Amino acid sequence: MTPHTAPPGVADLPAAPYLVVLRRRVGQTLHYEPLLRNGHVLVASSLMTAAVGAFYWVLATSWYRPETVGRSYAVISAVTLLAGFGQLNLSDVLVRFVPSAGRHTRRLLLRSYAAAGLCAGLLAGAFLVLVPLIAPGLGFLRGPLVAPFFVAGTMGYALFIVQDGALTGVRRAHWVLGENAVFAVVKVLVLTLAAGWAVSSGILLSWAGALAVSLLVANYVLLRRAVPAHERAHADGRMPPRLLGYAATDYGGALFRLSAYNIVPLIVLDTLGGARNAYFSLSWVIAYTLYLATYNMGSSLLVEAAHDPARISELGRRVLRHTGPPLAAAVLALVVIAPWLLSVFGAEYADQATGVLRLLALSALPNLLLNVAIDVARARRRLAWAVALQAALCALVLGLTVRLIPPFGITGVGAAWLLAECALALPLLITLPRWLPSPARSPR
């Protein structure tokens, strides 16, 4: 067959019907395995966000001093932490229960929005009161003009997290990709305008503007299209039993994980200053993409396990087999190219942050096993085990960070993450046949 020649018979078809057939075949292929389809879309969303985010931080580090970048990232970390606490882990609750909620889906979603927004706002207000004690470097947030925006931004980000869970639960993961694309593009555009107008708070303004736009777009799709379609398709669904008990216990585990992720930048800021926090924060943003890939596959696992609980072991092992090799390849690539990648942000970033980025990348491998263990426990409603794993991760990461920063600087933070993940993953690997038996065997 010569180049650019259509397969036999295809050349005789009109272009439009051929495209329809091709689209139908692709759709059938993707529909064959919802676990991988939804997981891939969520991973693609993370990769797209990371790519545009990297471009965003290249611009930010080019236009703003390291001290400003580090301080702005600390604010974003505080918002993420408070919103994560404030959303009460309802995002994961929706992933777990929306598939079977049926006609109660809209009511469940709106109640989740109300609870998450209120709680996040209260936490943001309490944080501002305590800033002089817990994060003195962020004292400027208490200003009369800045404080209301900080509270509103925290509430908005809590809703942003919850809506991702709802979209995933109704099997509209492609709209998670869409909303993240909107967020990333608007963020870059606003940053460009702010820098052109010499606005010193351009980084924070760009996040706030992108958040507002993406919330409007995603909730139009969610409430006008996705939820009604899901309610019609699952009209026999019912409100999940013992939802409050599940949510409260699962929330305890989420608090530990969020603390591990978001308190570390505040520790670095207060211990080593804004510039060092900028070097660490950029490394964490890059390496966290690997963590998100694992988290997203776990979300898809929860959705499919809710539809068919008998397949939990099969789904868990499939996630490990399917995600492990590409994740290992990505980790190896990141370890090799770390100095060149960081040099895009500036020579000082490559000089100061190569070591911590490599260690954080390596920690993503044991994190895969830990995340699957947590999600399998949550799918089986063995929440005590899931909470214990997340509590252990938080204690190890924060404790090791405090101990290793004085002798090793930000490289010690990367070592803390790697040591903590390995300490938890090794026992899980040894006991894998017990907590994730092969589908032919029943759990002990």
Side-chain angles (χ1 to χ4, degrees), residues 206-267:
S206 66
W207 277 76
L211 179 63
V213 174
S214 59
L215 281 172
L216 290 174
V217 172
N219 277 287
Y220 175 83
V221 172
L222 185 60
L223 295 174
R224 294 294 299 273
R225 297 178 59 181
V227 168
H230 180 75
E231 290 181 333
R232 289 192 299 270
H234 303 277
D236 58 342
R238 58 192 179 90
M239 187 64 79
R242 302 187 302 277
L243 180 60
L244 289 179
Y246 179 98
T249 305
D250 200 37
Y251 178 55
L255 290 179
F256 289 116
R257 191 189 299 212
L258 286 167
S259 297
Y261 288 167
N262 294 292
I263 290 179
V264 169
L266 301 179
I267 294 175

Side-chain angles (χ1 to χ4, degrees), residues 21 54 63 119 382:
V21 171
W63 295 333
C119 188
R382 297 176 181 174

Side-chain angles (χ1 to χ4, degrees), residues 72-397:
S72 298
Y73 189 84
V75 173
I76 294 168
S77 293
V79 169
T80 304
L81 176 65
L82 296 169
F85 286 168
Q87 60 99 9
L88 304 173
N89 204 41
L90 292 172
S91 175
D92 286 348
V93 170
L94 293 179
V95 169
R96 176 65 178 81
F97 291 113
V98 157
S100 58
R103 66 183 185 277
H104 303 286
T105 301
R106 179 182 294 271
R107 182 173 56 170
L108 181 59
L109 174 60
L110 294 179
R111 287 181 177 180
S112 298
Y113 274 176
L118 177 61
C119 188
L122 292 175
L123 286 176
F127 178 81
L128 291 177
V129 173
L130 297 174
V131 154
L133 297 176
I134 60 178
L138 300 180
F140 71 96
L141 292 176
R142 291 161 58 90
L145 296 178
V146 178
F149 284 99
F150 178 79
V151 174
T154 303
M155 296 173 67
Y157 200 79
L159 301 185
F160 185 83
I161 298 171
V162 172
Q163 76 185 14
D164 278 3
L167 287 167
T168 303
V170 296
R171 285 180 164 175
R172 297 297 182 97
H174 57 285
W175 275 108
V176 177
L177 174 62
E179 65 158 358
N180 284 330
V182 170
F183 183 84
V185 171
V186 174
K187 186 172 62 175
V188 170
L189 292 176
V190 175
L191 179 70
T192 303
L193 292 175
W197 294 335
V199 178
S200 60
S201 57
I203 295 175
L204 298 179
L205 286 176
S206 66
W207 277 76
L211 179 63
V213 174
S214 59
L215 281 172
L216 290 174
V217 172
N219 277 287
Y220 175 83
V221 172
L222 185 60
L223 295 174
R224 294 294 299 273
R225 297 178 59 181
V227 168
H230 180 75
E231 290 181 333
R232 289 192 299 270
H234 303 277
D236 58 342
R238 58 192 179 90
M239 187 64 79
R242 302 187 302 277
L243 180 60
L244 289 179
Y246 179 98
T249 305
D250 200 37
Y251 178 55
L255 290 179
F256 289 116
R257 191 189 299 212
L258 286 167
S259 297
Y261 288 167
N262 294 292
I263 290 179
V264 169
L266 301 179
I267 294 175
V268 176
L269 176 68
D270 287 335
T271 305
L272 301 176
R276 298 286 181 183
N277 194 44
Y279 304 141
F280 164 73
S281 299
L282 263 294
S283 299
W284 176 248
V285 167
I286 296 170
Y288 188 59
T289 305
L290 303 176
Y291 277 61
L292 279 177
T294 300
Y295 174 82
N296 289 331
M297 291 302 297
S299 295
S300 185
L301 185 157
L302 282 174
V303 172
E304 298 312 313
H307 284 284
D308 191 355
R311 296 182 61 210
I312 291 175
S313 291
E314 174 195 344
L315 295 170
R317 284 179 173 265
R318 188 159 178 78
V319 168
L320 287 175
R321 289 195 304 268
H322 185 82
T323 310
L327 179 64
V331 167
L332 177 61
L334 190 52
V335 168
V336 172
I337 69 171
W340 291 277
L341 182 60
L342 288 168
S343 66
V344 175
F345 302 98
E348 66 274 21
Y349 286 86
D351 181 59
Q352 298 291 330
T354 295
V356 66
L357 176 55
R358 284 172 168 164
L359 292 170
L360 290 172
L362 289 171
S363 71
L365 286 173
N367 179 258
L368 170 61
L369 193 61
L370 177 62
N371 264 353
V372 170
I374 292 170
D375 287 329
V376 166
R378 294 172 63 224
R380 289 177 174 153
R381 287 188 174 236
R382 297 176 181 174
L383 295 183
W385 178 236
V387 171
L389 287 173
Q390 293 171 93
L393 176 67
C394 179
L396 286 170
V397 167

Side-chain angles (χ1 to χ4, degrees), residues 30-96:
L30 291 177
H31 183 70
Y32 178 75
E33 181 53 81
L35 170 71
L36 300 183
R37 180 195 65 200
N38 292 331
H40 287 164
V41 172
L42 292 172
V43 170
S45 173
S46 298
L47 293 176
M48 180 277 303
T49 302
V52 180
F55 177 65
Y56 170 87
W57 287 110
V58 168
L59 297 180
T61 54
S62 300
W63 295 333
Y64 293 94
R65 295 178 302 152
E67 292 79 6
T68 302
V69 174
R71 188 175 66 171
S72 298
Y73 189 84
V75 173
I76 294 168
S77 293
V79 169
T80 304
L81 176 65
L82 296 169
F85 286 168
Q87 60 99 9
L88 304 173
N89 204 41
L90 292 172
S91 175
D92 286 348
V93 170
L94 293 179
V95 169
R96 176 65 178 81

